[in-house]
Amino acid sequence: DVKVTQSSRYLVKRTGEKVFLECVQDMDHENMFWYRQDPGLGLRLIYFSYDVKMKEKGDIPEGYSVSREKKERFSLILESASTNQTSMYLCASSLLTSGSSYEQYFGPGTRLTVT
Amino acid sequence: GQNIDQPTEMTATEGAIVQINCTYQTSGFNGLFWYQQHAGEAPTFLSYNVLDGLEEKGRFSSFLSRSKGYSYLLLKELQMKDSASYLCAVRDLESGGSYIPTFGRGTSLIVHP
């Protein structure tokens, strides 16, 4: 069974703090993704990575950065947390897609509150 | 990019059949996914369509028409545990060559006795 784990289920941080969200997958997947999920807006892609040290911006990268130093680990960094970054953050992984049905596997999510 | 549209909320009765529609606009279509997400949990994969037609998997079926930019998820013999959000996601060939799925806003299905 594929397992995607995230470092925290719930996190409370103050405005201006640097925040690290960690994601680890154990199935040797090439692709990893970070999404945020907000009511009425659905899942929005922040960043994704298709290989170690590779990263691509998603639809809403502003205010975020990522790091992928090892294949199994993908970190999301909020350099200076703001209240509008209060959200549910979901990590996902998948095999490299090129016309195949490789679905994404999601972690349990981190509910981040910035006060 | 894609423009993915699905109803915000639907209600149905236990034991009934419900159809959740998804329409999309894309230039480099490369597959459509349906995911189920229970409240407070991660999305889980339900189905994948890349060719036209119906894919059946137990009580759940998914249909695709590429020419119409349309898909639906059909849930039969509804159970209370089917109350969840259903996410439609379309994979597109981005200009950079990466196949990245884009999600619709999800349809919240409420099943009542």
Side-chain angles (χ1 to χ4, degrees), chain A residues 43-90:
Chain A
L43 278 167
R44 292 181 292 166
L45 182 66
I46 304 171
Y47 269 96
F48 69 96
S49 168
Y50 54 89
D51 201 352
V52 174
K53 297 193 184 294
M54 305 304 289
K55 59 185 179 183
E56 296 285 343
K57 292 180 180 179
D59 299 318
I60 51 164
E62 297 80 17
Y64 304 94
S65 61
V66 290
S67 171
R68 192 153 180 214
E69 296 296 317
K70 294 184 178 181
K71 191 175 185 180
E72 68 270 18
R73 189 179 297 269
F74 192 35
S75 302
L76 180 70
I77 303 150
L78 288 67
E79 294 289 341
S80 177
S82 63
T83 54
N84 63 12
Q85 292 178 310
T86 291
S87 185
M88 170 67 85
Y89 289 88
L90 287 163

Side-chain angles (χ1 to χ4, degrees), chain B residues 58-71:
Chain B
R59 293 191 298 114
F60 292 6
S61 303
S62 56
F63 171 84
L64 175 69
S65 168
R66 289 172 295 170
S67 62
K68 295 181 179 177
Y70 168 69
S71 172

Side-chain angles (χ1 to χ4, degrees), chain A residues 9 33 35 37 40-43 45 48 90 97-104 106-108, chain B residues 30 33 35 37 40-45 48 87 91 98-106:
Chain A
R9 288 302 303 270
F33 308 80
Y35 293 91
Q37 186 172 33
L41 296 178
L43 278 167
L45 182 66
F48 69 96
L90 287 163
T97 53
S98 57
S100 54
S101 62
Y102 293 136
E103 69 271 25
Q104 291 170 297
F106 285 85
Chain B
N30 191 255
F33 298 84
Y35 288 83
Q37 186 179 23
E41 297 182 12
T44 55
F45 170 75
Y48 170 75
L87 312 179
R91 196 166 63 190
S98 303
Y99 290 81
I100 300 300
T102 296
F103 285 80
R105 297 185 178 190

